[in-house]
Amino acid sequence: MDDPPAPLERGGKANARREKVVQAARNLFAEQGFHATGMAAISQASGVLVGQIYRDFANKEAIVAAIVERDLDEYLREGELHETCACDDPAAVRAWIARFVACSDIPDRRLIAEIMAEAARNVRVADIFRAVDARLSGRLVEAFHILAPAADARRIDCVAETIMVLSGGIFHHRLGNDGAIDDAVLERLLNITANEIDALVASST
C-alpha cells in the first residue's frame, strides 16, 4: 500500500490558500467586474475567511497584482528566453520576439480588459501596469542585446519601445476582436518587427 501523501509544509499551505483566493478573484473579476466584487464574495467563492484573505493580501489591488504577475510569467516565458540566451541562438531569440509581438496567447481576455479599465481610474492598478510595461520592455532590451551586442544602447531602447507600441496595438486589437487579427495584417506587422531587428543587427556589425 502506498504511503499517504506528506502533509503540506506551512509555506505550502499558505501558498495553496493564496492560490484559492487568486483563482476565485480571477473568476469573479471577469464575471462581475472589479468594483462589483467585494472581499466577502471572494471569501465565499474561495472558502477562505475574509480575515485570512487580508493576512495574505492588503487589498483587492494586491490580488490584482498577483493575478497580473502570474499571467505575465506565463505570457513572457522568461525561462524560455533565458535558455535561448544561454544557448546564444539568434533564430530562437527572433522567434521569441515574434511570439511576444503577435500576442496570440493572451490569457483570459475578459479579465485583462476589466483590469485595464480599472487601471484608468485606480492609481494602484495603474502602477501595476506601469511595472508590467517596464518588465516587458526590459525583456525586449535583453533579447536585442543578444542579437546586436555592439549596437548603441539608445538605439536598442528606441527599437524596444517601437516594438512595445506595435505589440500594444496588436494586443488591444485582439482584446476588442475576441482574439482575432487578419493573418495578412499580422504578417505585415511582424515584417515591420523583423525589419527593425535587421537594421539593429546591421548597426552592430
Side-chain angles (χ1 to χ4, degrees):
M1 184 175 177
D2 293 334
D3 293 330
L8 286 171
E9 296 283 336
R10 186 168 184 175
K13 288 181 180 179
N15 289 337
R17 184 180 63 245
R18 287 172 59 89
E19 177 67 17
K20 287 181 180 180
V21 171
V22 167
Q23 289 303 322
R26 172 189 288 278
N27 294 334
L28 291 170
F29 290 160
E31 292 170 4
Q32 303 176 180
F34 183 87
H35 277 294
T37 301
M39 285 297 200
I42 296 172
S43 172
Q44 183 175 11
S46 65
V48 178
L49 296 175
V50 171
Q52 189 63 63
I53 293 176
Y54 276 116
R55 285 185 58 189
D56 293 328
F57 300 97
N59 44 45
K60 284 197 294 182
E61 287 82 4
I63 300 176
V64 169
I67 292 171
V68 171
E69 182 70 18
R70 171 84 53 83
D71 287 350
L72 188 61
D73 285 342
E74 293 177 3
Y75 175 66
L76 279 178
R77 299 179 191 170
E78 289 175 301
E80 177 183 308
L81 176 62
H82 291 319
E83 289 177 12
T84 299
C85 296
C87 296
D88 193 23
D89 185 347
V93 173
R94 282 177 177 263
W96 184 91
I97 294 171
R99 185 192 62 77
F100 172 91
V101 171
C103 300
S104 57
D105 50 356
I106 301 173
D108 203 336
R109 286 183 291 274
R110 286 185 312 158
L111 176 65
I112 291 178
E114 172 61 30
I115 294 176
M116 290 179 72
E118 181 62 23
R121 54 183 176 256
N122 186 318
V123 172
R124 285 176 290 187
V125 176
D127 286 343
I128 292 169
F129 271 91
R130 276 191 286 271
V132 166
D133 190 75
R135 183 170 163 193
L136 289 171
S137 181
R139 291 301 167 267
L140 273 179
V141 168
E142 179 183 350
F144 290 147
H145 274 296
I146 295 164
L147 294 175
D152 178 73
R154 172 60 187 148
R155 182 163 186 171
I156 286 178
D157 289 343
C158 185
V159 173
E161 183 64 18
T162 298
I163 292 179
M164 283 288 292
V165 172
L166 182 64
S167 178
I170 294 172
F171 181 86
H172 281 276
H173 180 88
R174 287 192 183 279
L175 282 181
N177 292 275
D178 198 28
I181 186 169
D182 184 272
D183 288 342
V185 172
L186 181 59
E187 182 179 359
R188 284 175 175 269
L189 294 171
L190 289 176
N191 283 339
I192 292 172
T193 299
N195 291 337
E196 288 287 342
I197 295 173
D198 288 342
L200 185 66
V201 171
S203 75
S204 179
T205 57

